[in-house]
């Protein structure tokens, strides 16, 4: 009798132990499964995946859309995370550019922030435009609020966390010269921040491709390079001449000659006068290169890629002067006497 009781007791303890091991194993598996579900599908692939979340989509519907597009590992983990984060009611419909290198927290954060309207708006910023011209043009096209666009672009600190190259600029410097001129497509209803960020992204591409390595080689700052490029942009009309113009300004700086760029005075005046008066060239401003040596404090316009490239790749020439010939091209000369003799083409 006593032996039978002992056998039953051992069996119960063994059963409890088996159940405990099973529960522990299930718990470990569930925990690992949950943690795995929080990770990115493919950390090495940042290519965009465009998805559309329809209006009034349930959390389950959103989970299925994400899973079908291979953006999340488990619809169940997505639903659990959304519920425990208490954000189910804040997930928004819209169009999203997501990628498989985003973890679950990032994707949910994007969905809470909201997607874009599917209507596309196109706009063009010409090369050589100033910030105020951009703001005015975009406002007339109904894309931005002019005042807010100017306010946001008036200080680089508003965007330097996302665009580290801006940290190289002076404290309080505006984005003049760094909003890349090009044709863009944005979603209708985009914020002023979205428009500015898109233009900064394009500048960043050119910076990394054409400028970054050359700045070290020439031992000049990013601000100096873009400032020079902006002058070349405003002075030049023919891409082939831009490296020559760049060389002229480099040569004048080396000889402690003032740059005497009409474009810098036009920037101060706020208008593009074809002929400057002597009074114009004496206007008191750090941007006036007729009375101040060296480059102005910052860019005077947004240069295109050709001017940016020319600013860090000046031609190997001894020219110190150039004059407009009348057909959009320039005559380049080495001496002041040659410069005076240069005549516009008939």
């Amino acid at each position: 009798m006593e032996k039978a009781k002992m056998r039953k007791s051992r069996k119960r303890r063994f059963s409890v132990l088996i159940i405990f091991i099973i529960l522990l194993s299930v718990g470990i598996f569930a925990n690992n499964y949950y943690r795995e579900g929080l990770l990115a599908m493919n950390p090495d692939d940042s290519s965009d995946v465009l998805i559309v979340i329809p209006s009034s989509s349930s959390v389950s519907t959103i989970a299925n859309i994400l899973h079908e597009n291979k953006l999340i590992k488990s619809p169940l983990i997505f639903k659990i995370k959304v519920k425990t984060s208490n954000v189910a009611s804040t997930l928004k419909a819209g169009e999203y550019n997501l990628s498989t290198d985003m973890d679950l927290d990032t994707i949910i954060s994007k969905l809470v922030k909201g997607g874009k309207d599917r209507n596309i708006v196109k706009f063009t910023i010409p090369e050589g435009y100033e910030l105020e011209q951009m703001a005015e043009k975009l406002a007339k096209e109904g894309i931005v609020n002019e005042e807010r666009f100017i306010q946001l672009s008036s200080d680089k600190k508003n965007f330097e966390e996302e665009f580290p190259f801006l940290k190289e600029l002076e404290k309080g410097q505006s984005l003049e010269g760094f909003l890349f001129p090009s044709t863009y497509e944005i979603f209708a209803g985009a914020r002023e921040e979205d428009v500015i960020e898109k233009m900064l992204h394009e500048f960043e591409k050119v910076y990394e491709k054409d400028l970054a390595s050359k700045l070290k080689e020439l031992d000049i700052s990013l601000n100096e390079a873009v400032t020079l490029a902006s002058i070349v942009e405003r002075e030049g009309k023919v891409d082939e001449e831009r490296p020559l113009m760049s060389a002229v300004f480099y040569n004048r700086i080396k000889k402690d000659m003032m740059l005497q760029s009409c474009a810098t005075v036009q920037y101060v005046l706020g208008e593009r006068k074809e002929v400057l008066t002597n009074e114009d060239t004496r206007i008191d401003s750090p941007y006036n290169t007729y009375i101040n040596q060296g480059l102005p404090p910052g860019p005077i316009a947004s240069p295109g890629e050709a001017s940016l490239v020319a600013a860090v790749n000046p031609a190997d020439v001894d020219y110190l002067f150039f004059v407009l010939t009348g057909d959009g091209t320039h005559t380049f000369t080495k001496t002041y006497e040659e410069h005076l003799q240069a005549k516009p083409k008939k």
Side-chain angles (χ1 to χ4, degrees):
M1 189 73 175
E2 192 66 34
K3 290 181 179 180
K5 287 182 179 179
M6 290 177 65
R7 283 196 297 269
K8 286 182 180 180
S9 177
R10 283 197 297 268
K11 285 181 180 179
R12 280 198 299 269
R13 287 198 298 271
F14 182 73
S15 298
V16 170
L17 178 61
I18 293 299
I19 292 171
F20 174 77
I21 292 173
I22 292 172
L23 291 175
L24 180 62
S25 299
V26 170
I28 293 173
F29 174 80
N31 182 60
N32 289 339
Y33 178 74
Y34 179 76
R35 293 175 65 182
E36 181 69 21
L38 300 176
L39 302 177
M41 288 287 288
N42 187 350
D44 299 320
D45 184 7
S46 61
S47 55
D48 287 344
V49 178
L50 181 66
I51 66 165
V52 177
I53 304 298
S55 299
S56 303
S57 293
S58 65
V59 174
S60 293
T61 300
I62 296 173
N64 290 334
I65 292 172
L66 294 171
H67 190 249
E68 288 167 4
N69 284 275
K70 297 181 172 55
L71 289 163
I72 62 172
K73 297 185 176 185
S74 167
L76 175 60
I77 301 303
F78 175 83
K79 288 185 280 188
I80 292 173
K81 183 65 176 177
V82 166
K83 184 175 181 179
T84 56
S85 301
N86 197 31
V87 295
S89 62
T90 63
L91 301 182
K92 298 179 178 63
E95 186 168 274
Y96 294 85
N97 273 314
L98 305 177
S99 62
T100 55
D101 68 344
M102 293 180 179
D103 60 22
L104 197 58
D105 283 331
T106 301
I107 290 175
I108 291 174
S109 175
K110 297 279 187 183
L111 295 173
V112 169
K113 184 178 179 181
K116 302 295 185 181
D117 189 289
R118 299 190 69 188
N119 296 318
I120 300 294
V121 176
K122 182 180 287 189
F123 69 89
T124 298
I125 298 298
E127 296 172 347
Y129 255 41
E130 301 167 18
L131 281 178
E132 291 188 359
Q133 290 176 298
M134 291 182 192
E136 183 180 1
K137 182 178 189 294
L138 293 173
K140 285 181 178 178
E141 295 173 8
I143 294 172
V144 303
N145 174 280
E146 184 172 355
E147 184 177 337
R148 179 160 175 73
F149 184 91
I150 290 292
Q151 178 188 6
L152 287 168
S153 56
S154 66
D155 194 328
K156 55 107 177 185
K157 73 177 181 181
N158 295 322
F159 299 92
E160 66 182 3
E161 290 307 314
E162 184 174 355
F163 300 95
F165 67 85
L166 292 176
K167 294 181 180 180
E168 298 181 35
L169 309 185
E170 296 295 324
K171 182 179 180 180
Q173 187 169 336
S174 78
L175 298 181
E176 186 79 87
F178 296 89
L179 299 185
F180 192 72
S182 185
T183 296
Y184 295 92
E185 288 186 348
I186 59 170
F187 294 103
R191 305 169 305 159
E192 287 77 12
E193 291 92 335
D194 299 325
V195 174
I196 292 171
E197 286 171 4
K198 200 168 186 70
M199 298 172 76
L200 285 172
H201 272 299
E202 288 304 304
F203 178 88
E204 187 174 43
K205 291 179 185 177
V206 177
Y207 165 71
E208 292 176 349
K209 179 167 69 78
D210 299 321
L211 303 183
S213 61
K214 295 294 294 186
L215 295 180
K216 297 177 182 178
E217 182 181 322
L218 293 171
D219 193 27
I220 61 173
S221 70
L222 174 61
N223 184 52
E224 289 171 331
V226 177
T227 299
L228 176 56
S230 70
I231 297 174
V232 170
E233 182 65 55
R234 291 282 287 105
E235 292 278 8
K237 299 181 183 297
V238 180
D239 284 349
E240 290 75 12
E241 291 186 349
R242 298 188 193 280
L244 296 173
M245 288 185 170
S246 177
V248 167
F249 293 126
Y250 272 104
N251 293 339
R252 292 177 75 92
I253 290 173
K254 289 176 183 176
K255 291 181 175 292
D256 291 326
M257 297 173 65
M258 293 181 184
L259 300 189
Q260 294 185 323
S261 166
C262 296
T264 61
V265 176
Q266 291 167 345
Y267 181 72
V268 178
L269 295 173
E271 59 177 312
R272 300 186 176 185
K273 298 173 67 173
E274 288 190 16
V275 179
L276 297 178
T277 65
N278 289 332
E279 185 179 357
D280 291 335
T281 61
R282 290 194 295 267
I283 190 169
D284 186 17
S285 168
Y287 283 86
N288 183 356
T289 56
Y290 276 83
I291 61 173
N292 297 290
Q293 283 190 323
L295 292 165
I300 60 171
S302 282
E305 186 170 7
S307 293
L308 287 167
V309 171
V312 293
N313 293 278
D316 185 14
V317 294
D318 297 329
Y319 297 137
L320 291 171
F321 305 90
F322 59 82
V323 62
L324 193 62
T325 58
D327 63 354
T329 62
H330 293 78
T331 298
F332 293 83
T333 51
K334 297 179 181 180
T335 68
Y336 186 60
E337 289 72 22
E338 292 173 339
H339 177 64
L340 291 177
Q341 292 172 8
K343 300 290 185 181
K345 295 178 182 177
K346 300 294 183 179

